[in-house]
Amino acid sequence: MKRLAVSVVPNRYEKRSILINGFSMRKPNSVHYEKLIAFVNRKNWWHVPPVDPDAYRKRGKFLASSFEAAEFYGRPLDEPQKVIVARPLVGDERTISKVFRIPPQHDGMTLKQIAAHDALWRNAALKNGFDSILLMAPKCFAEFKASGKIPRSLELNILRAI
């Protein structure tokens, strides 16, 4: 019986964020992320239609993981929606802003500034080959990286919405 030699060399990327290891290096092979993508694709998502008819083209389509979370942005549609994502950028706002080198949103921003910021993130994500941005709370993202536990509250931005 032939044995394969296994190298026990420490992985220099092991201490880095899963987000940076997997998706920034275009190697989304993490079991946690595959499980998360499958979850996102089978979940019902809630959407509040924007006032601006060009909003989808400029910023993408924003979805919330629950009806109650979507109500924060206005009146959600009566029926939930299904999505198909393949290469989401996953993280909390601080981590995603580091990947894009674009500062995160801050308190006191006007709606126009928020829309411009969302457009910057959309364009940066598309430029880097992502089809969506999946946003988690910082504590939830840390727990997801550590254990793979998918949080209940998620925000999804589909970048090429029709």
Side-chain angles (χ1 to χ4, degrees):
M1 180 177 204
K2 188 174 180 182
R3 289 192 169 201
L4 297 175
V6 178
S7 172
V8 187
V9 180
N11 180 355
R12 68 182 180 148
Y13 297 111
E14 207 167 68
K15 301 275 186 219
R16 293 176 65 191
S17 160
I18 293 171
L19 170 77
I20 293 173
N21 276 344
F23 284 84
S24 293
M25 295 174 65
R26 299 187 187 272
K27 296 177 188 171
N29 57 3
S30 169
V31 174
H32 294 320
Y33 279 95
E34 290 173 13
K35 188 173 106 175
L36 180 64
I37 290 168
F39 175 80
V40 167
N41 287 333
R42 73 174 175 265
K43 182 167 183 30
N44 288 326
W45 292 92
W46 298 93
H47 176 62
V48 177
V51 176
D52 180 11
D54 290 331
Y56 295 134
R57 184 181 52 76
K58 294 176 187 173
R59 299 183 303 271
K61 184 176 189 176
F62 289 88
L63 301 144
S65 57
S66 70
F67 187 87
E68 293 77 24
E71 283 182 315
F72 176 79
Y73 301 102
R75 173 71 169 103
L77 298 173
D78 292 331
E79 294 294 319
Q81 298 181 357
K82 292 284 191 179
V83 299
I84 298 174
V85 298
R87 291 189 40 84
L89 176 58
V90 179
D92 61 0
E93 196 164 354
R94 192 175 123 254
T95 304
I96 292 172
S97 67
K98 282 183 182 178
V99 171
F100 293 153
R101 294 186 172 91
I102 298 171
Q105 291 181 5
H106 56 82
D107 291 336
M109 291 178 78
T110 65
L111 290 177
K112 193 173 186 176
Q113 290 172 326
I114 292 171
H117 183 271
D118 290 342
L120 286 173
W121 271 27
R122 176 191 178 272
N123 295 338
L126 288 172
K127 183 177 152 188
N128 287 301
F130 298 105
D131 64 354
S132 58
I133 299 172
L134 186 64
L135 193 63
M136 299 179 188
K139 185 177 178 182
C140 295
F141 182 56
E143 188 174 352
F144 171 73
K145 287 191 306 183
S147 68
K149 181 179 182 238
I150 299 172
R152 290 185 180 201
S153 181
L154 299 166
E155 290 183 20
L156 179 66
N157 182 3
I158 305 291
L159 304 174
R160 295 191 191 270
I162 298 172

